[in-house]
Amino acid sequence: MSSVRRLPIIHPKPADGSRLAPFNLPAVTSFHNNLPGYAPSPLVSLPGVAADLGIKGVYIKDESSRFGLPSFKILGASYGAYYALVTSLGLSLDCNIDTLASKARESGSVLFAATDGNHGRAVAFMAKLLSIEARIFVPRSLDEYTKEAIAGEGAKVILGPGDYDQVVAFAAEASKACPGGVLVQDTSFPGYEDVPARIVEGYSTIFREIDDQIAEQNINIDLFISPAGVGSLAHSVLRYYKSLQRPVCSKVVTVEPDTAACLYKSLQARADASTPVTTSHTIMTGLNCGTVTYSAWPDFRDCLDGSVTISDFEAHSSVKELKAYGIDSGPCGAAGLAALRYLMASSREELGLGKDSVVVLLNTEGARPYTTPHDVTSDDPVELTRILTRIESTNPTLSLSAGSGEEAIADFIEGWLEHRDIESHRIQSQQGRPSVVGKVTGTGNGRSLMMNGHIDTVSLAAYTKDPLSGDLTEKNGRPAVVGRGSLDMKAGTAAAMVALAHAKKSQPRGSVLLAAVADEEDTSIGTVDILEAGWRADAAVIPEPTMLQLGTSHRGFLWFEVEILGTAAHGSRPDLGVDAIMNAGLFLSSLKEYTNRLPIDDVLGPASAHCGLIEGGEELSSYPASCKVKIEFRTVPAQRAEQIQDDLVSILEKHSKTDASFRFQPPKLLVERPALKLSSSEPIVKAAISAAKSTANPLVEPQALSFWCDAALLTEAGIPAVVFGPEGEGLHAKEEWVYVESIHKTTAMLDNLISDFCQ
């Protein structure tokens, strides 16, 4: 099936009368011309891009250096700060910079702003020019490079709460509380509109310069593509090129990150008011905004010709392409080129673009460091398995070795979902341990299905080769993807992601969910989180590596800690010391006898127990005061945690009654996870057998699995869950791989299961 991605919103014929009030260009021009160091930025031709796309010309206005700053933002921030200070100090609007600086210092003026990057740095630059203080508020997620750049302008950088929108509100309140505080914000909201309007007007210098630069070439601009963000720059573009004073209007299209598409989704909703969105990670940090600036929304709604979103990888690819033309750009600045290539492939006719068309782009920022993103465009489950394997997602609580957690892989999955316009939700109860839910809403009256796959892996420490290679190679004469987690269970998660994208196209009657969950390898934080958040379905499938078998049952597990107490003393004083470790040996001997009497289930077989960890003592020459034994029980449905705990107490009390030196703390239950045992009459079991037989394994029959998985938690919550997934080798071992053919078969099985069960 062909790739699914978010489609552009194109309005070929904006409403009649969609001309907007012009800017006061003479005032803006005069202000900028009198700022120290003002000079027009270059307009660069990209003839290779134009030839490749079959149009007359592509130009890019290179704003990678304005007043020595790597962004266009200083044009708006300077004019906005000037207006805000003049107004707050009661000065006239023709006041010169030197006079303003003197009055601002005398009054103790302090500039405030919230930022995801260059706006805050520009406000800080303006404060430095005026020799006054600036306090710039930033989200905690902002990278260190950008925070240091803002601080380098002499500003005080303050970490605000939450995302960009929350930080804007925080900065606004802080400015009110500060004597002499003046907010210079490019985001407008009810009651705060004048300064943002001046910032928008300040950007008009860019377009006035473009007019001067193309005047001698006798060309007209047919399409202008602008990055959106909060919308201030895009609003300026729209106001300028839809001005009542222009004889011919140019079309204007905006571009945003897939994962921060507040303007796109507002236009998509077709509502009177804009639609705030929750954003997620993007390398286009300056565009990571969840709310369209308040005053701009009516103009966007009525006059914008189109809106498009792009992935981080597309922005990154365009950064490299612009570099070949000698243009140093960051990912925000390269967004327009990525948008143009997509628009020419998808919406050329709707936008009226032909061989004589001219397009202008904006490089809004200079080159800066960022993490190279992964490509989210692939719907091939094998390629997707390779990408997921390359993203480290080691569980940080599972072992003594360091683990990065699920943040990076959750970012990728969110980006992959948003690129396809699939509803996505990020859920986490613990910092750095996110899960992602993707949802395709059914057309109605069908059963819903959840595909649940964990995105954490066990430690990389024991892996003998490159654990994050994701290489495609041959194992046992069969093509395979290798790397830690490739089998357990990034291949299954990849198959589920692709099946969800297929459901987006096929539109089943019932809803289909992807739950990409954290921490299954340890205590299942992720599945617990999504259940507590209220996510439910009529049934679930977990594509764990079952070797193309169908699992409908598995044992549960309990983790207990038993502490045996001793008495610390010098090793030469047996009359004073009690050896906790030696007494623990008595307990372990009895525990071994106890395990021989554990129950046997007719499907799951015998319950079992083993000691996974033991710790005690401090040095060889001392009697140990404590010995802790951690025990795992693999349980069958007949067992209960309370009974096992009582049995452990009985064993301990037996020894304390016969040996006065034997002391202990009551056993602690650390983790409790239920067993799974589904009836063959469950509709999901019948549907899964049918789907597996027709696409993956014609000999499949329900069976008990040796390992535990989140299917038990889901079933306990009223979501009967089966387990079916790919084939490979090396679970938790020194080398791991998954067979390519089995990835395709798992994907086909999930497709068929959705087609059957969700109708």
Side-chain angles (χ1 to χ4, degrees):
M1 303 176 91
S2 60
S3 177
V4 178
R5 73 165 292 178
R6 181 177 287 150
L7 297 174
I9 295 173
I10 304 296
H11 299 135
K13 294 181 180 179
D16 293 339
S18 60
R19 295 298 190 95
L20 302 173
F23 291 126
N24 185 356
L25 293 180
V28 179
T29 298
S30 174
F31 172 78
H32 284 142
N33 284 346
N34 287 301
L35 279 181
Y38 168 75
S41 64
L43 182 69
V44 182
S45 175
L46 304 177
V49 176
D52 187 31
L53 298 178
I55 56 179
K56 182 176 182 178
V58 176
Y59 296 84
I60 187 164
K61 182 69 165 166
D62 186 5
E63 293 291 316
S64 60
S65 181
R66 280 280 188 181
F67 297 98
L69 296 178
S71 168
F72 72 98
K73 288 282 190 177
I74 185 58
L75 293 174
S78 61
Y79 197 58
Y82 170 81
Y83 175 84
L85 285 168
V86 164
T87 303
S88 69
L89 296 172
L91 303 173
S92 65
L93 289 174
D94 59 356
C95 174
N96 65 45
I97 286 293
D98 292 337
T99 301
L100 178 61
S102 176
K103 295 293 186 181
R105 289 193 297 271
E106 289 175 8
S107 67
S109 296
V110 180
L111 296 185
F112 283 74
T115 189
D116 248 329
N118 287 316
H119 173 71
R121 185 175 179 183
V123 172
F125 176 89
M126 193 62 182
K128 183 171 65 175
L129 180 66
L130 298 170
S131 298
I132 61 176
E133 183 184 350
R135 300 178 190 175
I136 308 301
F137 293 76
V138 303
R140 293 184 180 276
S141 59
L142 190 64
D143 61 271
E144 289 300 320
Y145 172 85
T146 304
K147 286 188 284 190
E148 289 172 5
I150 296 169
E153 301 297 337
K156 182 178 181 181
V157 178
I158 302 167
L159 297 180
D163 60 13
Y164 172 80
D165 293 332
Q166 292 170 302
V167 174
V168 169
F170 192 69
E173 290 302 315
S175 68
K176 293 176 184 177
C178 174
V182 177
L183 182 66
V184 183
Q185 196 58 53
D186 55 353
T187 304
S188 63
F189 44 85
Y192 184 75
E193 298 166 15
D194 286 349
V195 172
R198 294 303 177 271
I199 291 174
V200 168
E201 196 164 27
Y203 296 146
S204 66
T205 290
I206 298 171
F207 319 120
R208 188 260 305 162
E209 290 176 0
I210 293 174
D211 280 350
D212 294 342
Q213 289 163 327
I214 67 172
E216 297 179 358
Q217 301 182 48
N218 193 30
I219 58 174
N220 293 313
I221 299 172
D222 297 286
L223 173 64
F224 201 110
I225 301 178
S226 172
V230 296
S232 295
L233 174 63
H235 193 207
S236 186
V237 173
L238 195 65
R239 288 274 307 275
Y240 194 91
Y241 288 101
K242 303 291 185 182
S243 168
L244 287 165
Q245 292 183 346
R246 294 186 75 82
V248 179
C249 290
S250 304
K251 287 185 170 67
V252 178
V253 173
T254 56
V255 57
E256 300 167 277
D258 289 332
T259 53
C262 60
L263 178 52
Y264 179 97
K265 291 188 176 181
S266 295
L267 293 167
Q268 190 180 49
R270 299 177 180 271
D272 290 336
S274 62
T275 304
V277 301
T278 300
T279 69
S280 56
H281 173 79
T282 175
I283 60 171
M284 294 172 270
T285 53
L287 305 182
N288 191 5
C289 309
T291 304
V292 179
T293 184
Y294 172 75
S295 58
W297 167 245
D299 291 344
F300 286 137
R301 181 193 59 208
D302 298 337
C303 305
L304 195 63
D305 296 279
S307 174
V308 65
T309 73
I310 61 167
S311 69
D312 280 4
F313 188 78
E314 288 172 297
H316 167 67
S317 299
S318 293
V319 166
K320 295 192 293 182
E321 187 174 359
L322 289 176
K323 182 70 174 177
Y325 282 94
I327 297 173
D328 289 327
S329 172
C332 294
L337 178 55
L340 175 60
R341 288 199 171 278
Y342 180 39
L343 287 167
M344 292 300 289
S346 65
S347 309
R348 185 185 189 111
E349 292 182 2
E350 292 94 323
L351 289 169
L353 298 176
K355 59 183 180 62
D356 295 324
S357 298
V358 173
V359 180
V360 174
L361 313 173
L362 273 174
N363 174 27
T364 55
E365 65 174 354
R368 58 177 173 81
Y370 59 87
T371 302
T372 301
H374 295 277
D375 188 359
V376 298
T377 62
S378 180
D379 282 341
D380 176 359
V382 176
E383 180 59 27
L384 201 50
T385 298
R386 299 182 67 192
I387 293 171
L388 293 178
T389 302
R390 293 180 186 127
I391 303 173
E392 186 190 348
S393 56
T394 312
N395 193 311
T397 61
L398 190 61
S399 67
L400 297 178
S401 61
S404 60
E406 298 86 358
E407 198 87 47
I409 196 167
D411 288 343
F412 173 81
I413 293 172
E414 274 190 300
W416 189 93
L417 292 170
E418 290 288 356
H419 190 66
R420 288 153 180 78
D421 206 18
I422 295 175
E423 177 185 336
S424 69
H425 302 265
R426 194 182 189 98
I427 300 159
Q428 61 179 343
S429 61
Q430 297 185 22
Q431 187 64 33
R433 310 303 305 276
S435 299
V436 177
V437 173
K439 181 181 181 182
V440 170
T441 301
T443 58
N445 300 319
R447 292 178 298 194
S448 57
L449 179 70
M450 177 190 292
M451 297 177 289
N452 179 297
H454 71 82
I455 53 178
D456 63 322
T457 73
V458 294
S459 171
L460 307 182
Y463 208 91
T464 55
K465 299 182 180 179
D466 178 5
L468 304 176
S469 73
D471 285 345
L472 191 60
T473 186
E474 194 170 280
K475 291 292 183 181
N476 301 321
R478 301 166 64 184
V481 176
V482 299
R484 173 62 77 219
S486 57
L487 179 62
D488 185 19
M489 62 169 295
K490 292 182 176 181
T493 302
M497 291 167 66
V498 173
L500 187 71
H502 291 169
K504 169 81 173 177
K505 293 186 71 175
S506 64
Q507 296 186 313
R509 291 167 58 196
S511 296
V512 183
L513 285 76
L514 166 75
V517 296
D519 193 51
E520 188 273 350
E521 294 289 4
D522 193 4
T523 58
S524 296
I525 291 170
T527 292
V528 171
D529 282 351
I530 67 166
L531 290 173
E532 289 184 350
W535 290 99
R536 293 293 187 275
D538 291 316
V541 56
I542 297 187
E544 284 270 14
T546 63
M547 313 305 152
L548 302 179
Q549 300 296 323
L550 180 64
T552 58
S553 60
H554 61 63
R555 291 180 295 173
F557 69 90
L558 303 169
W559 290 350
F560 281 99
E561 179 183 274
V562 175
E563 183 178 11
I564 309 300
L565 301 175
T567 302
H570 193 278
S572 65
R573 297 298 305 273
D575 56 318
L576 299 178
V578 175
D579 190 335
I581 295 176
M582 197 169 289
N583 279 349
L586 298 173
F587 166 70
L588 292 175
S589 178
S590 296
L591 180 66
K592 185 175 182 180
E593 293 179 6
Y594 172 74
T595 62
N596 294 330
R597 303 191 302 272
L598 292 176
I600 299 173
D601 185 81
D602 60 336
V603 174
L604 294 168
S608 65
H610 72 279
C611 295
L613 292 170
I614 186 167
E615 57 182 60
E618 296 180 5
E619 57 196 7
L620 279 172
S621 60
S622 296
Y623 278 80
S626 170
C627 181
K628 294 180 180 179
V629 179
K630 293 183 180 180
I631 310 159
E632 179 181 74
F633 286 84
R634 291 285 168 157
T635 62
V636 297
Q639 293 176 288
R640 294 290 180 268
E642 297 81 1
Q643 182 58 55
I644 293 176
Q645 192 166 25
D646 289 345
D647 291 345
L648 292 175
V649 170
S650 296
I651 293 171
L652 293 164
E653 288 179 343
K654 180 190 71 173
H655 288 289
S656 66
K657 289 176 181 178
T658 58
D659 185 345
S661 72
F662 190 98
R663 296 180 297 117
F664 61 90
Q665 293 285 7
K668 295 179 183 178
L669 177 61
L670 304 177
V671 176
E672 179 180 8
R673 292 292 180 258
L676 170 71
K677 193 175 181 182
L678 282 186
S679 166
S680 59
S681 63
E682 283 281 357
I684 186 61
V685 175
K686 294 178 179 179
I689 292 172
S690 176
K693 284 183 179 294
S694 62
T695 57
N697 184 358
L699 302 178
V700 72
E701 293 293 341
Q703 62 180 253
L705 302 173
S706 61
F707 57 84
W708 188 92
C709 69
D710 284 351
L713 288 179
L714 296 172
T715 301
E716 187 179 52
I719 310 169
V722 297
V723 191
F724 183 95
E727 179 186 7
E729 295 183 34
L731 291 169
H732 298 202
K734 63 182 181 180
E735 187 179 10
E736 182 178 351
W737 65 87
V738 58
Y739 292 117
V740 164
E741 182 184 15
S742 74
I743 301 174
H744 287 300
K745 287 183 176 181
T746 300
T747 307
M749 184 273 186
L750 295 175
D751 285 341
N752 273 16
L753 182 59
I754 291 168
S755 178
D756 178 10
F757 188 78
C758 298
Q759 293 306 320

